[in-house]
């Protein structure tokens, strides 16, 4: 990863700020001959779109993606085939209200990158969060939609497993429920919906915000992806997830819990399985041993901090060094972690697609 | 990061297995004119050396590092000056007992990478853990010793904050105690020593093992290192830590805790400080906002799983697919996480040195 | 360089085919605080635009570039300031005549990449040259326009020094003449214009084409850019130039001529100059010694082959393996090398800007 | 390529100076399961070893290579099998005579990198050419020896085609003669031996030196390696060759000659061949069209400048800025280009191996 590009063979470069004319990405290295439609990409994008429920901001952004290069249209007028050259995708920003940014331009919002941007660059794009805007994540989701198609049989799904102090009951886990239109939280636990609803309503009324933990599970990952060190599959998944704005922690399999238990509990035992392959009796490793996939589901979790754009006044300073109070008005999700679910899935899918191609390159397998 | 190289401008490539003739690294892109002695590197290496206490294996490995290139000797016969060309360092493996590996060669040890190496490469170096050996980490520490000198004023320190179910009391935190020769655990809490001692003795007697959590704190990191997305400083720190063998989770600042608290608690407030710079009233962010350093201490934590090399018999399969029981005899640390402290420090130092040079490249500052 | 991205710190990614909706590029790593206008970019683009003379194709392509990200507008409404985040530029393709590509789709044109695209990807975008179209070079020129502003005092100029068998007289070299509107060839030798005119008219009438050699000279390159090996400045310049479609050779300084002369003729002698810096008495080295710039002008030359799109019938095969004759109708420049002049300048400027930032990163100088 | 690493999937990092304790390389990404012996590597190294004839320096350097990692020994005690982890190779420097470098340390030798090293780094390793020493090329040859084994059926051969003003007669081309022990020049033309012998004797007696042009031909390159732009196979071959010290120009196929001839002469016609593949009637393209291999032999040429280490006094300055005369005493080849033949082969082999793996990664072919 280097600045705004990630991946080695399946390489994604993203660009754009929320208040410029557009945002976009370039996917380089995609295998040729992959068939998809703009609708496939759009379906993923719609999952993260603001306006899905009363718990995400009500901006009307159609997020209509355009595919500008790297594909040949088939005769049906809908299907696109990748040609192996770079695939450029773009979304125009239609909701750029002219707004008075003067106050934000001068003040460093606590918990935001205002001060650090200035410390780094000597200036910053104060309009709507600049590069750190949640809007940028749309392009990750678009790239992930293609990445999913690179690895045959790959299924990557995510779910919100905790919000603030509230956790789901894993005994109720139901993947089908996660994307149910009645489920505003990507929670896999139907019983958690009323709990999260009440909780988030109270957070919003208090002018506050709350974080979340997201779990992503990738099934259909062939054994052998990754490398023992430095190119570990778990490491690239973690790096991809940490590159998302507001993420403060990442873990694989049982993660931090592994540090609390004993070796004999933690190591996943094996028994003879079909086709001479082992069957694992547990999955504490999260599908990765020594940096390389085992063939079990790959499991990652990441923590999203509560947004710092809140109505509660906070102490800060401005560019002149004077002490000020900051209140962030406007439309803001009380829990930005909800929308992080499809983003996390996309970033995991990109890491796996990249390693699938790298593995095939080095070994000729896959 | 790509396979066995990490960093963009301060680039480290490592090579070697524990049972080959040597291990080594090449550091490319180091600034010219940095003065150091072999003793500086050796001192860091000695901190992770087996034999430091009864809780780490008793192998007699002098770990004597040689510097083979990229330096000019000064007249004192001791000081070396970097020339800007690649610095090669090597440690010969003197403790390669000839040993019967036949049993290991055929069996997949649970929790180890035996099966995944074969799934990936079609063969594996079964001698002593191959590439995934703890021995490889010596070169990370050597590289880190140089990285520390790249950033003026940088101090990177680590400590063990929990071992299995036992945690330190942060109220007792004493950095001076961490490297005390009487402290076999890199714990910052003197009161924890008897607790950890009893705990680890019982673990060892049970033929078991236990994990640990390590915290690394970097002070003297100038504000402005990192980038908003993809080149986030926290992301590269996490990737560096995740690249260490047996690490299963990483977090920055308050990490997963950030997902549990509210926005107004989490965002670090600012007041006017000296030289027009803000003073932060807390450091939940772990010294990084929007991927860019704030000037506060950078704080990272990582979880090390318990070693899977244990005396307790575990169920597994062999290469032929037959079901077997595996018991790992030989010298093994009951808590490999202890030795991870200087390794974690080194990996954080390398990430910061790399970003220091990248920041200077892009902006001319620093 | 990896697929469609080049540069390490000043990184350029390009995308697009001539017959898709648009072409574009993303410039990542550009220093913050650089001021430019869309007009600055457009002026460079206009230099390579078809329609400049009767010797380049008459397509009406306004090539109007849009800057989509990475900049803040200043109050004058025209000046843009780079923010340090990725700069996306795009040109929409307005001249996509619907055309019958069936014949091209089935036949491999000699000298073109038709066969090799299919050998690589299993399919190809047969519309207008696909990715190898000359149109793609517009984005190199756009990126180069920014690269020129990264290095203070840098001036990069190019000129056509031979066309087919005809060479310029270097005694007549006049930089001012190169961009004279009356000069259709970017030749620095006014006396060559009638010669080239007659020559090219005859080539065109014969339904043929001819190649050219371009020389690029960069002045204001500070001493110290580059690296002794692998990161040699001359090597990156050569790679950048070779990445242009139809380029078959590259040389630095006296280039291939160096292989013909003796050591004492070739080595540039030095005398004492101002500020303690040496003055070189000649520039056979082309401003680069041991991969590192000397402070003299950097001189590179590259050879562009004659376009294979000609009216003369050539023997070939089609996708079914049947033998066919191919005649390429339509608008084609008889000497594509002419338009390569601003492209070569841009690629040299990008290489120098990248090394300027890399040098500053490693050494803190510059 | 970045500083001292080249290649994307077959990655080579080299380190070392001629007067340090050793030189070496690390090859990362090599496919697992490749069988070789130290003798295979040594045989290639011996081809470039000083002492081969009276026209190369008489240093006694056994150049004995050691393989330190990344391999498993087979039972025969000789064969090594790559494991897929990094392969470290090293050659100890046994001929480090203690010598008085004071004069060189203070003076900038014309044509050498003395001044530019200081301009870049502020200091330099003045002992024996530092990093730019011809000795470094041994590691390129070692890496190339492995690269040759990565691509099934690949044969890469080089030959010297001109020395100073003297050229071979291509009508006499005999590959078998190139490596004949009686052939001190790697010339493919037996008739050229007496001519080159007399010529080089006169050059040496005059205390002078002369350059050379080397041609490298790779056969057995499958069609489809490379990419249309930026990842062009010809571009990476050129970059690899330009990274060799003293190389000033590179060309592919007919190279600069392509700029002199017409489109219908230049484009290689095709006829139907076996297995539905086209047969090319000529190879002006040098086996590469649109950056992608055609399946024909890949042909590259590069120009090596005459060494600047000559007995003829040349004007220069010293570090204090004073004007001096420089005479380079000691053992120096009158034509360093001779030894560049196996180096050029190795660099071409590395580029092809890297693209073979990249192609396999992206497309699953190969």
């Amino acid at each position: 990863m280097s600045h705004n590009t990630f991946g080695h063979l399946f390489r994604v470069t993203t660009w754009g700020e929320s208040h410029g004319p557009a945002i976009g990405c370039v996917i380089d290295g995609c295998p040729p001959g992959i068939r998809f439609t703009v609708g496939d990409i759009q379906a993923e994008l719609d999952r993260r779109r603001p306006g899905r429920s009363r718990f995400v901001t009500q901006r009307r952004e159609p997020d209509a993606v355009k595919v500008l290069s790297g594909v040949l249209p088939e005769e049906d007028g809908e299907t696109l085939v990748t040609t192996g050259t770079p695939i450029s995708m773009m979304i125009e920003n239609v909701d750029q209200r002219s707004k008075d940014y003067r106050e934000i331009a001068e003040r460093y919002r606590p918990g935001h990158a205002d001060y650090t941007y200035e410390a780094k660059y000597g200036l910053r794009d104060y309009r709507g969060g600049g590069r750190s805007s949640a809007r940028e994540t749309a392009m990750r989701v678009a790239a992930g939609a293609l990445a999913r198609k690179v690895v045959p049989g790959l299924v990557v799904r995510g779910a919100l497993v905790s919000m603030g102090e509230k956790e789901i009951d894993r005994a109720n886990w139901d993947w089908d429920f996660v994307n149910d239109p009645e489920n505003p939280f990507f929670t896999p636990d139907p019983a958690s919906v009323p709990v999260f609803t009440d909780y988030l309503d109270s957070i919003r009324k208090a002018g506050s915000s709350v974080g979340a933990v997201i779990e992503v599970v990738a099934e259909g990952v062939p054994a052998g992806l990754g490398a023992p060190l430095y190119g570990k599959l778990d490491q690239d998944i973690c790096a991809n997830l940490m590159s998302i704005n507001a993420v403060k922690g990442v873990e694989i399999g049982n993660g931090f819990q592994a540090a609390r238990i004993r070796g004999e509990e933690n190591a996943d035992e094996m028994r003879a399985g079909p086709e001479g392959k082992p069957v694992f009796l547990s999955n504490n490793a999260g599908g990765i041993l020594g940096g390389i996939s085992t063939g079990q589901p790959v499991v990652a979790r990441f923590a999203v901090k509560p947004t710092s754009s809140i109505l509660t006044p906070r102490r800060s300073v401005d560019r002149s060094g004077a002490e000020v109070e900051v209140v962030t008005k406007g439309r803001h999700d009380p829990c930005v972690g909800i929308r992080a679910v499809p983003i996390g899935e996309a970033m995991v899918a990109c890491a796996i697609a990249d390693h699938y191609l790298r593995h095939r390159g080095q070994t000729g397998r896959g």
Side-chain angles (χ1 to χ4, degrees), chain A:
Chain A
M1 280 218 196
S2 167
H3 298 293
N4 296 285
T5 297
F6 63 96
H8 289 274
L9 293 193
F10 187 85
R11 294 163 59 82
V12 180
T13 300
T14 86
W15 55 267
E17 284 83 25
S18 59
H19 285 65
I23 58 171
C25 69
V26 183
I27 299 163
D28 196 9
C30 186
I34 291 180
R35 281 168 168 71
F36 71 102
T37 66
V38 171
D40 294 340
I41 311 286
Q42 195 65 51
E44 289 297 323
L45 284 167
D46 290 348
R47 291 177 62 214
R48 67 167 278 294
R49 192 169 61 183
R52 215 170 158 272
S53 79
R54 78 172 181 276
F55 300 111
V56 293
T57 57
Q58 297 304 314
R59 269 173 282 192
R60 293 261 63 90
E61 295 183 351
D63 270 3
V65 69
K66 289 180 187 171
V67 178
L68 299 174
S69 68
V71 293
L72 257 179
E74 296 220 320
E75 295 204 353
D76 65 7
E78 254 196 84
T79 309
L80 303 173
V81 189
T82 61
T83 60
T85 60
I87 299 161
S88 172
M89 297 198 279
M90 185 174 76
I91 298 175
E92 285 171 89
N93 291 331
V94 294
D95 189 34
Q96 305 167 57
R97 306 195 188 163
S98 86
K99 194 173 152 186
D100 188 347
Y101 291 103
R102 260 173 302 175
E103 205 177 316
I104 294 176
E106 291 304 316
R107 292 173 172 209
Y108 300 141
R109 291 167 298 165
H112 279 283
D114 300 342
Y115 169 64
T116 56
Y117 270 50
E118 296 231 356
K120 180 171 198 72
Y121 299 119
L123 82 172
R124 76 184 146 101
D125 188 345
Y126 43 79
R127 301 167 303 171
R131 183 75 178 133
S132 299
S133 159
R135 187 144 178 73
E136 183 270 346
T137 58
M139 300 325 300
R140 302 172 184 250
V141 172
L146 260 182
R148 290 169 194 264
K149 294 178 182 288
V150 167
V151 185
L154 177 67
V155 176
V156 183
R157 296 183 291 191
L160 182 146
V161 295
S162 75
M163 182 193 290
E165 314 134 33
K166 309 292 181 188
E167 296 193 17
I168 61 154
D169 180 349
R170 285 177 173 267
N172 297 336
W173 196 293
D174 175 4
W175 276 119
D176 288 336
F177 182 67
V178 172
N179 291 297
D180 187 303
E182 298 303 302
N183 177 354
F185 303 117
F186 292 112
T187 172
D189 172 12
S192 70
V193 173
V195 180
F196 286 161
T197 300
D198 289 351
Y199 182 62
L200 210 50
D201 271 333
S202 75
I203 295 286
R204 194 174 41 179
K205 276 170 201 156
S208 183
S209 64
V210 78
V213 176
I214 313 300
E215 182 166 316
V216 180
V217 179
E219 289 168 290
V221 181
L225 307 196
L229 301 167
Y230 306 109
K232 288 168 73 177
L233 178 59
D234 31 1
Q235 165 195 347
D236 284 341
I237 286 173
C238 283
N240 273 13
L241 292 173
M242 278 299 297
S243 77
I244 303 170
N245 198 13
V247 173
K248 299 302 284 183
V250 190
E251 57 184 11
I252 297 292
N254 59 355
F256 277 85
Q257 180 64 11
R260 291 182 203 105
I261 62 177
R262 297 193 173 197
E264 65 274 19
E265 296 169 82
N266 189 63
D268 302 308
E269 293 184 294
M270 287 170 265
R271 295 283 77 184
E275 298 170 40
K277 288 183 185 171
V279 168
F280 291 87
L281 305 183
S282 54
N283 191 13
N284 288 323
I288 302 174
L289 280 172
I292 301 171
S293 58
T294 62
Q296 284 196 288
V298 170
V299 181
R301 261 179 311 284
F302 60 102
V304 181
K305 73 176 185 181
T307 181
S308 306
S309 298
I310 49 176
L311 286 167
T312 314
R314 307 304 292 156
R315 287 173 291 174
S316 188
V317 297
D318 67 14
R319 298 185 69 199
S320 74
E323 304 196 332
V324 295
E325 276 214 334
V326 174
V327 174
T328 312
K329 294 164 201 155
R331 310 155 303 183
H332 292 289
D333 293 7
C335 178
V336 291
I338 298 171
R339 291 203 285 178
V341 172
I343 303 162
E345 291 176 6
M347 294 309 283
V348 170
C350 286
I352 292 170
D354 186 43
H355 274 282
Y356 178 79
L357 302 184
R358 288 162 70 176
H359 176 64
R360 185 162 75 179
Q362 186 178 11
T363 69
R365 290 195 190 87

